[in-house]
Structures are given as C-alpha cells and as structure tokens.
Amino acid sequence: MTRYSLRMSRIPTVAIIGRPNTGKSTLFNRLVGKRRAIVSEIPGTTRDQIAQLVSLPLIDYLLIDTGGLGGGSTDIDLEDDVAAQSLLAIESADIILFTVNGKELLTASDQEVASILRKKRKGHVPVILVVTKCDNPDLAATAPEYLQLGVTEYIVAVSAPHNIGTDELQTTITKHLNALHFQKTTNYSLQTTHFPRIAIVGKPNVGKSSLLNALMSDHERSKAPRLISDQPGTTRDSTDTVIRHKEKEYIFVDTAGLKSHAYMKENIEFYAQLRSIQAIAQADAVLLIVDLPQPISRQDKRIAQMTMEEGKALIVLANKIDLLPPAQREEALKLLRFSLSFCLFAPILPCSATTRDGLLKIFPLIEIITQNRNRFIATKDINNWFADTVQRHASSGLSSCKFITQAEGVPPTFVLFGADPKKIKISELKYLENSLRKSFAFDGTPIRWVTKKK
Ligand code: GDP
C-alpha cells in the first residue's frame, strides 16, 4: 500500500470586521464567488453561515463574515454585538480585513473598531484596510486619514458590486498568507486517498468524544478498530486521530476537543461552528452525530447543508439509541429522516457509543461513500442513461439537452449541454438526480449539476 503523508496544514482564516454598513456582506459574497452547486433553500437554515471556503489559484482560505455573527438583534444590542463579533474574529483570524465605507468620512465607530484592533490583535496578524463602495478608487486624498487609524499601512479600495479592486485584494490576501507560510494544497483529500479523512461534527453533548473513544478502544470482541496514533508530530493537528480497521487506516478529525479552550465557555457556539467548518472543509467525509432522543436542531441541518455545499460525503450517526425502546427508536428515526429530507442521499446509521451497537458499521459505510464520491461514469453509459431518462420525461426543459458528461474531480459533477439551458428548472434537475441515483451508486455523496449552452 502506498503511504501518504499525514501532515496536513491548517486552512488559514481571514475575518472581515468593521462597523455595520461598511459593506461586509457584499464583500464576503464577492470574495467567495458564485457557487456552481445547485443548492435549493432549506427551511430553517437560510444564509446564516458564518464562513465559506475561498479557493484561489495559489491559496485556499476560510472567509469569516462577522456580519452574520452574534445573537442580539435589537438596536441597543447592536454595538455590543459588533464589538463582541470583532473580538471573536480577531482572536481566531490569520488575516483581518478591516472594512470602512469609502462613501463616508470615518466615524467614531470606525475609530472604535481600530482601537479594538490595536489592542486585541495578535502581533503577527496582518490587517488589510478595505475601503468599500469605491467606484472610482482614488486613495490619494483619503489615505492619510486611513493611515492615521494606526492599524495598518495596507490599504485596498474596492467596489464589490462592480468587482473593482477585488482581484487586487485577493492578491494581497494571498501574499500575506504565503508570507505566513500558508501554502495551497491543491486538494485536501488528495494526500489521503488511502486514508480517508473524516470530520466528526455535531452539537455539544451528542456524543462525539464518546464515539471516538469507543472507536479507538480495542477491548471489544472480534476485530475491533485500533488506535494507531494521536501523537502530535504524526499529525500536525492534535485533534487528528488515526484508527486502523481491517488493515485500513482512517483519519478522524474530532471537533469536540474544544471544551478545554479558554474562550469556550462564553463563545461555545462560535468556536464549535468555526471548528466544524474548518474540519468539513478539509475532510473527505463528514460524520454528523445527532442525539436521536432529541429533536434535530437548526445547527444540525446547517452542518448537513454545509457538507453538501462543500461537496463532502455525509453519514448521519443517530447516537444514543440505547436510550429509546424499539418502537420509539423507529419513530425517532423516521422523524430524523423527514427532517433531513433535503439530503436524502446521506445514509442514517443508528448507533450507541455506550453499548457499541452499530459502531463497527461505520467503517464499511465510510468505504462505500468515499468510493461513491470518487465514482466516474463513462460518457457513453451516462448518455445512454440520459437518453432513456429524458424520453420518459419528454415534455420537460431537459429534452432540449442532447449531451451529458461527467466533469473531472470530486464530488461527482455532471455537465448538461443544451440549446437553452436557462429553461431547465431546478425541479427537473432534482428529477434527474433522483433517477441518476437509482441507476448508479452515489449513496452518501452530493452531486453537482452544471448547465452549458451548446
Ligand atoms: P460531545 O460533546 O459531543 O463530545 O459529547 P460527549 O461524548 O461528551 O457525550 C455527552 C454525554 O452523552 C456524556 O455524558 C456521554 O456519556 C453521553 N453519551 C454519549 N454517547 C451516548 C450513548 O450512545 N448512549 C448514552 N446513553 N449516552 C451517551
């Protein structure tokens, strides 16, 4: 077996901070760029994502949008909120993008953010001042004022809606990250083709640590999995755990270790979320742990959605089945399936970290879903299937498409060529996807669709 290096560098984080109305969200969306995946709105999870992966030719980074953080929503809370968000972001970021509104003079709130930055930022973390809403970037007049804020000499003017200055900003971010020794790893999964990397995510107390401990222990009956290493140095991230099962190795990335973090008490949600996002971005597969006796939460759904958007394989572990009698267990599983109907492709595995029921089924399931995520269908086969499927659905916008092909890369991405791709409805793509899943094995993996004009 080929051995791959287990060393894995962390994805750097870039945080946008600034007072309200400095264009943070617009900047966020512009830097993240349009996603090709077709993601329909999932009730209860709309747009409150706090971070997204940005993939550039020379670097990947996680962009954190502080505009979406914080619980308070009344006006009175707002200022405190912004300060709290800024603090959190400052503490966890590798680079800070400090936004000021180029259409207005600097305000007292801008000064306050600058003051927080001066005091709280770690010495080595660079700040880039982003002057937003600059349709005609001419910094000559205003630059001295910005420099007087005393936080940075790096200033970039942008107009996010018009895409002015954003390339320059990405270049500046890349340069700074490279200077901090962050490098692009072309595909975070590549190094681990034979060592699937699996993120264990879920709300606090659902049993993430218990599950990992149960997977690591080898006192159990037959061929139980064995812990190989969680030594720092073997893997760079101390939360990586390598487990061997039936001669194969799996890297589990635990997001539960957070409890010991100094900031954890107050900001548990934020850090848990950030850690999950980071773990998901660097994983091949995600084990979403839910507490079966409890109703599924918005946060669980959000993690499932994020996993889909990032194109990672997904298994839902319904933990703590030992707490429910069989009839109630079935009911709870049905309800869970219903609540996760937006990701029907993800298998649900009932299990108990305490009794070890279902535990060892995790490994074959990981094998299957990671294989499915890498599945490639020959062009001839996929076109035969397509002709057959569209014939049965002749009246649809799909019938204008004559050719389909699978693009390279993961997750499986299909490109449809048609005379008028705009006519294809989301519902038709969903129909196509359902049919594709019936004909080919894609359990556990999201599928992406791209339409192109022929
Ligand atoms: P984490 O925060 O997700 O890592 O959760 P923990 O692993 O710390 O577990 C939280 C609590 O749930 C602990 O008291 C565990 O003993 C308990 N727990 C975890 N898994 C199970 C299970 O399968 N059955 C039962 N009955 N309790 C469990």
Side-chain angles (χ1 to χ4, degrees):
M1 183 169 91
T2 325
R3 286 199 79 85
Y4 289 84
S5 163
L6 292 185
R7 286 184 79 86
M8 171 97 170
S9 47
R10 183 169 65 83
I11 296 186
T13 55
V14 176
I16 306 179
I17 77 149
R19 67 170 172 88
N21 201 28
T22 51
K24 293 190 293 297
S25 303
T26 319
L27 181 66
F28 180 86
N29 290 334
R30 179 55 76 177
L31 293 178
V32 167
K34 278 230 168 70
R35 300 237 136 192
R36 281 188 309 166
I38 293 159
V39 183
S40 45
E41 288 297 314
I42 299 158
T45 62
T46 36
R47 296 301 116 217
D48 50 3
Q49 210 138 295
I50 59 160
Q52 290 247 344
L53 188 68
V54 178
S55 199
L56 299 178
L58 295 177
I59 200 85
D60 289 336
Y61 66 85
L62 271 181
L63 187 63
I64 308 177
D65 181 10
T66 59
L69 292 177
S73 54
T74 66
D75 285 344
I76 305 152
D77 284 344
L78 203 60
E79 254 169 62
D80 282 352
D81 247 19
V82 170
Q85 290 162 17
S86 305
L87 276 181
L88 287 168
I90 291 163
E91 281 159 2
S92 46
D94 297 296
I95 293 187
I96 292 160
L97 305 183
F98 173 16
T99 52
V100 296
N101 186 338
K103 280 214 158 67
E104 294 169 9
L105 296 174
L106 289 179
T107 67
S109 301
D110 291 322
Q111 300 283 358
E112 200 184 317
V113 177
S115 155
I116 293 169
L117 278 179
R118 285 195 303 268
K119 286 186 212 137
K120 300 284 181 184
R121 160 178 75 100
K122 288 184 210 122
H124 67 276
V125 174
V127 176
I128 302 170
L129 187 89
V130 183
V131 187
T132 62
K133 313 188 186 188
C134 280
D135 299 341
N136 288 311
D138 175 18
L139 287 173
T142 41
E145 201 192 342
Y146 296 138
L147 289 172
Q148 265 181 12
L149 287 168
V151 283
T152 183
E153 70 220 49
Y154 306 111
I155 304 175
V156 180
V158 303
S159 169
H162 302 108
N163 216 4
I164 297 170
T166 39
D167 287 347
E168 186 192 342
L169 180 57
Q170 297 281 38
T171 308
T172 310
I173 292 171
T174 305
K175 272 190 200 147
H176 280 290
L177 288 176
N178 288 344
L180 291 167
H181 304 291
F182 287 106
Q183 298 295 337
K184 172 121 176 160
T185 314
T186 27
N187 183 344
Y188 286 90
S189 327
L190 255 191
Q191 301 166 307
T192 57
T193 314
H194 294 219
F195 288 74
R197 204 177 157 83
I198 301 123
I200 300 187
V201 293
K203 285 188 308 180
N205 291 320
V206 292
K208 295 185 293 298
S209 315
S210 310
L211 268 159
L212 191 62
N213 285 332
L215 288 174
M216 282 184 323
S217 69
D218 64 0
H219 64 79
E220 183 61 15
R221 303 153 212 157
S222 56
K223 287 183 183 153
R226 293 210 20 241
L227 170 67
I228 298 196
S229 166
D230 61 353
Q231 297 299 304
T234 318
T235 54
R236 203 179 129 179
D237 192 330
S238 58
T239 57
D240 286 3
T241 304
V242 184
I243 293 179
R244 173 180 290 153
H245 180 67
K246 296 199 173 168
E247 307 305 313
K248 288 204 83 167
E249 275 105 20
Y250 303 82
I251 306 168
F252 286 90
V253 185
D254 183 15
T255 55
L258 286 162
K259 279 174 187 163
S260 58
H261 198 291
Y263 305 113
M264 234 16 227
K265 258 194 204 139
E266 281 164 40
N267 305 314
I268 192 156
E269 284 269 311
F270 173 78
Y271 279 100
Q273 239 178 305
L274 200 60
R275 186 75 189 87
S276 300
I277 294 168
Q278 205 143 19
I280 292 169
Q282 292 180 279
D284 301 293
V286 172
L287 285 186
L288 169 60
I289 323 287
V290 299
D291 187 332
L292 188 62
Q294 303 290 329
I296 188 161
S297 69
R298 176 190 173 82
Q299 201 181 333
D300 296 320
K301 288 189 185 179
R302 204 192 288 147
I303 291 175
Q305 182 191 22
M306 205 187 300
T307 305
M308 282 167 70
E309 288 182 352
E310 292 299 333
K312 306 305 166 102
L314 176 64
I315 298 174
V316 181
L317 286 192
N319 191 31
K320 309 196 187 181
I321 51 169
D322 56 295
L323 294 178
L324 296 174
Q328 276 184 36
R329 192 184 295 175
E330 285 314 309
E331 263 319 293
L333 283 169
K334 258 191 226 159
L335 199 63
L336 179 63
R337 181 75 283 170
F338 178 74
S339 309
L340 291 175
S341 51
F342 63 89
C343 54
L344 280 178
F345 68 86
I348 294 179
L349 180 63
C351 70
S352 163
T354 306
T355 64
R356 303 181 65 95
D357 272 337
L359 212 61
L360 294 187
K361 291 189 183 147
I362 292 175
F363 294 96
L365 209 47
I366 291 172
E367 284 299 311
I368 292 169
I369 64 166
T370 46
Q371 265 173 30
N372 289 348
R373 183 163 171 264
N374 288 285
R375 187 170 302 288
F376 192 86
I377 313 287
T379 304
K380 183 168 155 268
D381 296 338
I382 193 80
N383 279 289
N384 285 343
W385 161 83
F386 185 66
D388 196 41
T389 307
V390 172
Q391 252 172 23
R392 276 189 263 135
H393 207 65
S395 61
S396 77
L398 293 172
S399 50
S400 71
C401 296
K402 298 290 175 234
F403 187 69
I404 181 172
T405 169
Q406 182 172 357
E408 274 182 36
V410 288
T413 303
F414 294 91
V415 191
L416 272 173
F417 294 88
D420 196 356
K422 286 209 181 86
K423 277 209 179 118
I424 302 170
K425 299 190 195 105
I426 296 271
S427 60
E428 289 168 348
L429 288 177
K430 279 191 179 157
Y431 159 81
L432 211 54
E433 180 163 331
N434 285 340
S435 160
L436 184 76
R437 287 182 184 281
K438 281 183 196 144
S439 305
F440 303 95
F442 285 116
D443 281 353
T445 179
I447 288 175
R448 289 183 177 161
W449 294 93
V450 178
T451 52
K452 279 197 178 158
K453 202 170 165 72
K454 188 155 183 182

